[in-house]
């Protein structure tokens, strides 16, 4: 066969795979960001209950937002939670990524904190990590269901060329149907 046509047909397939990966990362980043902001809002609204009216001041929202938008995507990527398949909704990978982001966010807030030495307190970051993990995981489960629905209706499926005997092709077709 002609090598140039093979390379010409291979290039769009490579772009398609790259665009699918890029779309997955942007979709997960957007989902995680929305979940993180909602989790921070929940943290701030429920802080009085968590601190039991004690001496812990209301957490500063700026370091928490930095944690969600800057540190969490990097930590989730390192923990493998931005991968394809089931890894995007794996609770252990999400929890590890969020805990690493919370720890780094706490260190960053200690280094570049405000005038008050007691700020930021560890309880806010531990509680924040738990709430953010829960929200991110629930958002990713919903996203996973949405993607599964797309596969079920055939929107997100890729076509595959199978070179086999007629019996093997029929067996594969029956297995996939």
């Amino acid at each position: 066969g002609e090598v140039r046509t093979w390379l010409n047909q291979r290039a769009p397939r490579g772009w398609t795979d790259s665009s699918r990966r890029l779309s997955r990362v942007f979709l997960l980043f957007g989902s995680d960001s929305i979940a993180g902001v909602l989790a921070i809002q929940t943290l701030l609204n429920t802080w009085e209950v968590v601190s039991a009216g004690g001496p812990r001041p209301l957490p500063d929202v700026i370091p928490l937002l930095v944690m969600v938008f800057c540190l969490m995507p990097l930590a989730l990527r390192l923990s493998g939670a931005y991968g394809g398949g089931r890894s995007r909704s794996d609770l252990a990978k999400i929890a590890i990524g969020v805990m690493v982001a919370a720890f780094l966010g706490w260190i960053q807030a200690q280094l570049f904190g405000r005038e008050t030495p007691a700020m930021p307190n560890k309880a806010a970051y531990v509680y924040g990590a738990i709430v953010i993990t829960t929200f991110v995981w629930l958002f990713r489960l919903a996203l996973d269901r949405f993607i599964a629905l797309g596969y079920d209706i055939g929107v997100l499926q890729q076509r595959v060329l199978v070179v086999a005997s007629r019996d093997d092709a029929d067996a594969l077709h029956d297995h996939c149907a």
Side-chain angles (χ1 to χ4, degrees):
E2 179 75 36
V3 173
R4 287 179 293 173
T5 60
W6 177 74
L7 290 175
N8 287 343
Q9 292 170 356
R10 188 172 171 213
R13 188 172 45 243
W15 279 108
T16 303
D17 291 343
S18 297
S19 63
R20 287 171 65 99
R21 267 187 252 122
L22 191 62
S23 299
R24 179 182 66 227
V25 168
F26 278 132
L27 190 63
L28 289 174
F29 176 75
S31 169
D32 295 344
S33 298
I34 293 169
V37 168
L38 290 175
I40 289 172
Q41 188 62 39
T42 303
L43 178 140
L44 294 175
N45 290 339
T46 59
W47 185 249
E48 181 112 1
V49 175
V50 173
S51 67
R56 292 186 183 12
L58 188 67
D60 192 8
V61 73
I62 301 298
L64 294 173
L65 287 174
V66 168
M67 180 183 75
V68 165
F69 287 110
C70 299
L71 299 173
M72 190 172 73
L74 296 173
L76 287 173
R77 175 75 174 124
L78 289 175
S79 72
Y82 272 8
R86 294 284 173 213
S87 67
R88 70 175 160 254
S89 59
D90 185 5
L91 181 59
K93 289 181 180 183
I94 293 170
I96 289 169
V98 173
M99 291 297 173
V100 167
F103 179 69
L104 293 175
W106 179 76
I107 289 174
Q108 181 255 342
Q110 290 284 27
L111 293 175
F112 307 108
R114 312 281 179 181
E115 299 83 30
T116 329
M119 289 281 286
N121 59 54
K122 291 176 253 189
Y125 283 88
V126 172
Y127 178 58
I130 292 169
V131 173
I132 291 171
T133 299
T134 305
F135 274 65
V136 168
W137 183 59
L138 291 175
F139 270 63
R140 285 187 175 211
L141 285 179
L143 187 64
D144 198 44
R145 279 300 331 139
F146 181 71
I147 290 171
L149 181 66
Y151 278 118
D152 288 345
I153 27 182
V155 174
L156 300 174
Q157 292 180 358
Q158 290 181 331
R159 295 180 185 206
V160 177
L161 174 65
V162 176
V163 179
S165 68
R166 182 76 175 150
D167 293 334
D168 290 340
D170 289 339
L172 180 64
H173 182 270
D174 293 341
H175 176 71
C176 293

PDB file of all heavy atoms in Angstrom, residues 91-116:
ATOM      1  N   LEU A  91     -12.266   6.683  44.513  1.00  0.00           N
ATOM      2  CA  LEU A  91     -12.302   7.464  45.749  1.00  0.00           C
ATOM      3  C   LEU A  91     -10.926   7.570  46.398  1.00  0.00           C
ATOM      4  O   LEU A  91     -10.558   8.627  46.919  1.00  0.00           O
ATOM      5  CB  LEU A  91     -13.317   6.869  46.727  1.00  0.00           C
ATOM      6  CG  LEU A  91     -13.480   7.588  48.058  1.00  0.00           C
ATOM      7  CD1 LEU A  91     -13.919   9.036  47.848  1.00  0.00           C
ATOM      8  CD2 LEU A  91     -14.480   6.858  48.939  1.00  0.00           C
ATOM      9  N   ALA A  92     -10.140   6.509  46.356  1.00  0.00           N
ATOM     10  CA  ALA A  92      -8.810   6.539  46.985  1.00  0.00           C
ATOM     11  C   ALA A  92      -7.900   7.542  46.279  1.00  0.00           C
ATOM     12  O   ALA A  92      -7.211   8.331  46.938  1.00  0.00           O
ATOM     13  CB  ALA A  92      -8.186   5.147  46.953  1.00  0.00           C
ATOM     14  N   LYS A  93      -7.904   7.557  44.954  1.00  0.00           N
ATOM     15  CA  LYS A  93      -7.053   8.496  44.213  1.00  0.00           C
ATOM     16  C   LYS A  93      -7.506   9.934  44.435  1.00  0.00           C
ATOM     17  O   LYS A  93      -6.684  10.838  44.586  1.00  0.00           O
ATOM     18  CB  LYS A  93      -7.073   8.160  42.724  1.00  0.00           C
ATOM     19  CG  LYS A  93      -6.339   6.878  42.411  1.00  0.00           C
ATOM     20  CD  LYS A  93      -6.348   6.587  40.940  1.00  0.00           C
ATOM     21  CE  LYS A  93      -5.599   5.277  40.703  1.00  0.00           C
ATOM     22  NZ  LYS A  93      -5.496   4.967  39.296  1.00  0.00           N
ATOM     23  N   ILE A  94      -8.809  10.141  44.471  1.00  0.00           N
ATOM     24  CA  ILE A  94      -9.334  11.487  44.723  1.00  0.00           C
ATOM     25  C   ILE A  94      -8.971  11.938  46.130  1.00  0.00           C
ATOM     26  O   ILE A  94      -8.517  13.068  46.339  1.00  0.00           O
ATOM     27  CB  ILE A  94     -10.855  11.522  44.492  1.00  0.00           C
ATOM     28  CG1 ILE A  94     -11.165  11.310  43.011  1.00  0.00           C
ATOM     29  CG2 ILE A  94     -11.459  12.831  44.977  1.00  0.00           C
ATOM     30  CD1 ILE A  94     -12.634  11.082  42.719  1.00  0.00           C
ATOM     31  N   ALA A  95      -9.158  11.053  47.119  1.00  0.00           N
ATOM     32  CA  ALA A  95      -8.855  11.411  48.515  1.00  0.00           C
ATOM     33  C   ALA A  95      -7.371  11.716  48.694  1.00  0.00           C
ATOM     34  O   ALA A  95      -7.015  12.687  49.374  1.00  0.00           O
ATOM     35  CB  ALA A  95      -9.293  10.286  49.445  1.00  0.00           C
ATOM     36  N   ILE A  96      -6.509  10.918  48.085  1.00  0.00           N
ATOM     37  CA  ILE A  96      -5.065  11.172  48.201  1.00  0.00           C
ATOM     38  C   ILE A  96      -4.722  12.522  47.580  1.00  0.00           C
ATOM     39  O   ILE A  96      -3.984  13.328  48.172  1.00  0.00           O
ATOM     40  CB  ILE A  96      -4.262  10.034  47.534  1.00  0.00           C
ATOM     41  CG1 ILE A  96      -4.363   8.765  48.379  1.00  0.00           C
ATOM     42  CG2 ILE A  96      -2.808  10.426  47.333  1.00  0.00           C
ATOM     43  CD1 ILE A  96      -3.833   7.529  47.692  1.00  0.00           C
ATOM     44  N   GLY A  97      -5.269  12.804  46.389  1.00  0.00           N
ATOM     45  CA  GLY A  97      -4.999  14.075  45.727  1.00  0.00           C
ATOM     46  C   GLY A  97      -5.478  15.268  46.534  1.00  0.00           C
ATOM     47  O   GLY A  97      -4.761  16.268  46.676  1.00  0.00           O
ATOM     48  N   VAL A  98      -6.680  15.182  47.094  1.00  0.00           N
ATOM     49  CA  VAL A  98      -7.222  16.295  47.872  1.00  0.00           C
ATOM     50  C   VAL A  98      -6.456  16.456  49.191  1.00  0.00           C
ATOM     51  O   VAL A  98      -6.190  17.590  49.614  1.00  0.00           O
ATOM     52  CB  VAL A  98      -8.738  16.117  48.102  1.00  0.00           C
ATOM     53  CG1 VAL A  98      -9.276  17.168  49.060  1.00  0.00           C
ATOM     54  CG2 VAL A  98      -9.492  16.181  46.788  1.00  0.00           C
ATOM     55  N   MET A  99      -6.081  15.365  49.828  1.00  0.00           N
ATOM     56  CA  MET A  99      -5.314  15.463  51.077  1.00  0.00           C
ATOM     57  C   MET A  99      -3.941  16.095  50.834  1.00  0.00           C
ATOM     58  O   MET A  99      -3.488  16.931  51.630  1.00  0.00           O
ATOM     59  CB  MET A  99      -5.126  14.083  51.713  1.00  0.00           C
ATOM     60  CG  MET A  99      -6.385  13.483  52.248  1.00  0.00           C
ATOM     61  SD  MET A  99      -7.080  14.472  53.579  1.00  0.00           S
ATOM     62  CE  MET A  99      -8.606  13.636  53.829  1.00  0.00           C
ATOM     63  N   VAL A 100      -3.291  15.726  49.734  1.00  0.00           N
ATOM     64  CA  VAL A 100      -2.000  16.343  49.399  1.00  0.00           C
ATOM     65  C   VAL A 100      -2.192  17.833  49.139  1.00  0.00           C
ATOM     66  O   VAL A 100      -1.413  18.667  49.609  1.00  0.00           O
ATOM     67  CB  VAL A 100      -1.351  15.628  48.186  1.00  0.00           C
ATOM     68  CG1 VAL A 100      -0.198  16.432  47.618  1.00  0.00           C
ATOM     69  CG2 VAL A 100      -0.892  14.239  48.573  1.00  0.00           C
ATOM     70  N   ALA A 101      -3.253  18.182  48.397  1.00  0.00           N
ATOM     71  CA  ALA A 101      -3.528  19.596  48.115  1.00  0.00           C
ATOM     72  C   ALA A 101      -3.830  20.361  49.400  1.00  0.00           C
ATOM     73  O   ALA A 101      -3.378  21.502  49.570  1.00  0.00           O
ATOM     74  CB  ALA A 101      -4.695  19.719  47.139  1.00  0.00           C
ATOM     75  N   ALA A 102      -4.575  19.744  50.316  1.00  0.00           N
ATOM     76  CA  ALA A 102      -4.893  20.412  51.585  1.00  0.00           C
ATOM     77  C   ALA A 102      -3.637  20.617  52.427  1.00  0.00           C
ATOM     78  O   ALA A 102      -3.448  21.684  53.024  1.00  0.00           O
ATOM     79  CB  ALA A 102      -5.926  19.599  52.358  1.00  0.00           C
ATOM     80  N   PHE A 103      -2.779  19.616  52.454  1.00  0.00           N
ATOM     81  CA  PHE A 103      -1.529  19.760  53.216  1.00  0.00           C
ATOM     82  C   PHE A 103      -0.651  20.856  52.626  1.00  0.00           C
ATOM     83  O   PHE A 103      -0.135  21.712  53.349  1.00  0.00           O
ATOM     84  CB  PHE A 103      -0.778  18.420  53.248  1.00  0.00           C
ATOM     85  CG  PHE A 103       0.518  18.487  53.978  1.00  0.00           C
ATOM     86  CD1 PHE A 103       0.548  18.671  55.358  1.00  0.00           C
ATOM     87  CD2 PHE A 103       1.716  18.375  53.298  1.00  0.00           C
ATOM     88  CE1 PHE A 103       1.745  18.741  56.044  1.00  0.00           C
ATOM     89  CE2 PHE A 103       2.931  18.445  53.975  1.00  0.00           C
ATOM     90  CZ  PHE A 103       2.945  18.623  55.341  1.00  0.00           C
ATOM     91  N   LEU A 104      -0.502  20.853  51.303  1.00  0.00           N
ATOM     92  CA  LEU A 104       0.297  21.894  50.653  1.00  0.00           C
ATOM     93  C   LEU A 104      -0.354  23.265  50.802  1.00  0.00           C
ATOM     94  O   LEU A 104       0.335  24.277  50.963  1.00  0.00           O
ATOM     95  CB  LEU A 104       0.512  21.560  49.177  1.00  0.00           C
ATOM     96  CG  LEU A 104       1.385  20.338  48.891  1.00  0.00           C
ATOM     97  CD1 LEU A 104       1.418  20.060  47.390  1.00  0.00           C
ATOM     98  CD2 LEU A 104       2.778  20.520  49.455  1.00  0.00           C
ATOM     99  N   GLY A 105      -1.684  23.312  50.760  1.00  0.00           N
ATOM    100  CA  GLY A 105      -2.395  24.571  50.969  1.00  0.00           C
ATOM    101  C   GLY A 105      -2.205  25.100  52.374  1.00  0.00           C
ATOM    102  O   GLY A 105      -2.068  26.313  52.586  1.00  0.00           O
ATOM    103  N   TRP A 106      -2.186  24.204  53.352  1.00  0.00           N
ATOM    104  CA  TRP A 106      -1.963  24.619  54.733  1.00  0.00           C
ATOM    105  C   TRP A 106      -0.546  25.169  54.906  1.00  0.00           C
ATOM    106  O   TRP A 106      -0.342  26.208  55.539  1.00  0.00           O
ATOM    107  CB  TRP A 106      -2.207  23.440  55.673  1.00  0.00           C
ATOM    108  CG  TRP A 106      -1.976  23.783  57.099  1.00  0.00           C
ATOM    109  CD1 TRP A 106      -2.787  24.511  57.922  1.00  0.00           C
ATOM    110  CD2 TRP A 106      -0.831  23.422  57.885  1.00  0.00           C
ATOM    111  NE1 TRP A 106      -2.222  24.622  59.164  1.00  0.00           N
ATOM    112  CE2 TRP A 106      -1.014  23.960  59.167  1.00  0.00           C
ATOM    113  CE3 TRP A 106       0.313  22.696  57.621  1.00  0.00           C
ATOM    114  CZ2 TRP A 106      -0.093  23.793  60.179  1.00  0.00           C
ATOM    115  CZ3 TRP A 106       1.247  22.532  58.629  1.00  0.00           C
ATOM    116  CH2 TRP A 106       1.031  23.081  59.896  1.00  0.00           C
ATOM    117  N   ILE A 107       0.436  24.484  54.295  1.00  0.00           N
ATOM    118  CA  ILE A 107       1.823  24.975  54.360  1.00  0.00           C
ATOM    119  C   ILE A 107       1.934  26.332  53.684  1.00  0.00           C
ATOM    120  O   ILE A 107       2.548  27.264  54.219  1.00  0.00           O
ATOM    121  CB  ILE A 107       2.790  23.960  53.712  1.00  0.00           C
ATOM    122  CG1 ILE A 107       2.912  22.725  54.593  1.00  0.00           C
ATOM    123  CG2 ILE A 107       4.160  24.582  53.482  1.00  0.00           C
ATOM    124  CD1 ILE A 107       3.716  21.611  53.973  1.00  0.00           C
ATOM    125  N   GLN A 108       1.327  26.459  52.526  1.00  0.00           N
ATOM    126  CA  GLN A 108       1.372  27.728  51.790  1.00  0.00           C
ATOM    127  C   GLN A 108       0.709  28.843  52.587  1.00  0.00           C
ATOM    128  O   GLN A 108       1.214  29.960  52.636  1.00  0.00           O
ATOM    129  CB  GLN A 108       0.685  27.538  50.431  1.00  0.00           C
ATOM    130  CG  GLN A 108       0.680  28.746  49.564  1.00  0.00           C
ATOM    131  CD  GLN A 108      -0.679  29.412  49.514  1.00  0.00           C
ATOM    132  OE1 GLN A 108      -1.693  28.821  49.858  1.00  0.00           O
ATOM    133  NE2 GLN A 108      -0.695  30.641  49.094  1.00  0.00           N
ATOM    134  N   ALA A 109      -0.405  28.539  53.237  1.00  0.00           N
ATOM    135  CA  ALA A 109      -1.083  29.555  54.050  1.00  0.00           C
ATOM    136  C   ALA A 109      -0.252  29.919  55.279  1.00  0.00           C
ATOM    137  O   ALA A 109      -0.275  31.071  55.724  1.00  0.00           O
ATOM    138  CB  ALA A 109      -2.461  29.053  54.460  1.00  0.00           C
ATOM    139  N   GLN A 110       0.496  28.975  55.838  1.00  0.00           N
ATOM    140  CA  GLN A 110       1.382  29.276  56.971  1.00  0.00           C
ATOM    141  C   GLN A 110       2.521  30.192  56.528  1.00  0.00           C
ATOM    142  O   GLN A 110       2.907  31.110  57.249  1.00  0.00           O
ATOM    143  CB  GLN A 110       1.986  27.994  57.568  1.00  0.00           C
ATOM    144  CG  GLN A 110       1.004  27.132  58.294  1.00  0.00           C
ATOM    145  CD  GLN A 110       0.649  27.703  59.657  1.00  0.00           C
ATOM    146  OE1 GLN A 110       0.708  28.895  59.916  1.00  0.00           O
ATOM    147  NE2 GLN A 110       0.262  26.830  60.551  1.00  0.00           N
ATOM    148  N   LEU A 111       3.051  29.928  55.345  1.00  0.00           N
ATOM    149  CA  LEU A 111       4.175  30.725  54.853  1.00  0.00           C
ATOM    150  C   LEU A 111       3.756  32.133  54.450  1.00  0.00           C
ATOM    151  O   LEU A 111       4.473  33.090  54.675  1.00  0.00           O
ATOM    152  CB  LEU A 111       4.842  30.027  53.665  1.00  0.00           C
ATOM    153  CG  LEU A 111       5.559  28.728  53.973  1.00  0.00           C
ATOM    154  CD1 LEU A 111       6.052  28.089  52.676  1.00  0.00           C
ATOM    155  CD2 LEU A 111       6.713  28.966  54.916  1.00  0.00           C
ATOM    156  N   PHE A 112       2.587  32.234  53.811  1.00  0.00           N
ATOM    157  CA  PHE A 112       2.146  33.522  53.286  1.00  0.00           C
ATOM    158  C   PHE A 112       0.869  33.986  53.961  1.00  0.00           C
ATOM    159  O   PHE A 112       0.019  34.594  53.340  1.00  0.00           O
ATOM    160  CB  PHE A 112       1.920  33.427  51.774  1.00  0.00           C
ATOM    161  CG  PHE A 112       3.093  32.883  51.037  1.00  0.00           C
ATOM    162  CD1 PHE A 112       3.065  31.616  50.486  1.00  0.00           C
ATOM    163  CD2 PHE A 112       4.250  33.634  50.924  1.00  0.00           C
ATOM    164  CE1 PHE A 112       4.153  31.109  49.813  1.00  0.00           C
ATOM    165  CE2 PHE A 112       5.351  33.130  50.251  1.00  0.00           C
ATOM    166  CZ  PHE A 112       5.305  31.865  49.688  1.00  0.00           C
ATOM    167  N   GLY A 113       0.739  33.699  55.249  1.00  0.00           N
ATOM    168  CA  GLY A 113      -0.487  34.011  55.979  1.00  0.00           C
ATOM    169  C   GLY A 113      -0.648  35.482  56.290  1.00  0.00           C
ATOM    170  O   GLY A 113       0.177  36.317  55.959  1.00  0.00           O
ATOM    171  N   ARG A 114      -1.732  35.754  56.955  1.00  0.00           N
ATOM    172  CA  ARG A 114      -2.039  37.137  57.360  1.00  0.00           C
ATOM    173  C   ARG A 114      -1.303  37.462  58.648  1.00  0.00           C
ATOM    174  O   ARG A 114      -0.412  36.746  59.077  1.00  0.00           O
ATOM    175  CB  ARG A 114      -3.556  37.270  57.562  1.00  0.00           C
ATOM    176  CG  ARG A 114      -4.373  36.715  56.448  1.00  0.00           C
ATOM    177  CD  ARG A 114      -4.432  37.629  55.293  1.00  0.00           C
ATOM    178  NE  ARG A 114      -5.251  36.939  54.296  1.00  0.00           N
ATOM    179  CZ  ARG A 114      -5.521  37.384  53.150  1.00  0.00           C
ATOM    180  NH1 ARG A 114      -5.079  38.508  52.765  1.00  0.00           N
ATOM    181  NH2 ARG A 114      -6.248  36.710  52.297  1.00  0.00           N
ATOM    182  N   GLU A 115      -1.754  38.524  59.312  1.00  0.00           N
ATOM    183  CA  GLU A 115      -1.074  38.979  60.520  1.00  0.00           C
ATOM    184  C   GLU A 115      -1.276  38.031  61.697  1.00  0.00           C
ATOM    185  O   GLU A 115      -0.464  37.964  62.594  1.00  0.00           O
ATOM    186  CB  GLU A 115      -1.606  40.370  60.925  1.00  0.00           C
ATOM    187  CG  GLU A 115      -1.378  41.453  59.898  1.00  0.00           C
ATOM    188  CD  GLU A 115      -2.446  41.473  58.810  1.00  0.00           C
ATOM    189  OE1 GLU A 115      -3.598  41.101  59.073  1.00  0.00           O
ATOM    190  OE2 GLU A 115      -2.119  41.868  57.691  1.00  0.00           O
ATOM    191  N   THR A 116      -2.380  37.326  61.739  1.00  0.00           N
ATOM    192  CA  THR A 116      -2.692  36.477  62.884  1.00  0.00           C
ATOM    193  C   THR A 116      -1.888  35.187  62.827  1.00  0.00           C
ATOM    194  O   THR A 116      -2.008  34.448  61.875  1.00  0.00           O
ATOM    195  CB  THR A 116      -4.195  36.109  62.887  1.00  0.00           C
ATOM    196  OG1 THR A 116      -4.926  37.157  62.310  1.00  0.00           O
ATOM    197  CG2 THR A 116      -4.684  35.804  64.253  1.00  0.00           C
TER     198      THR A 116
END
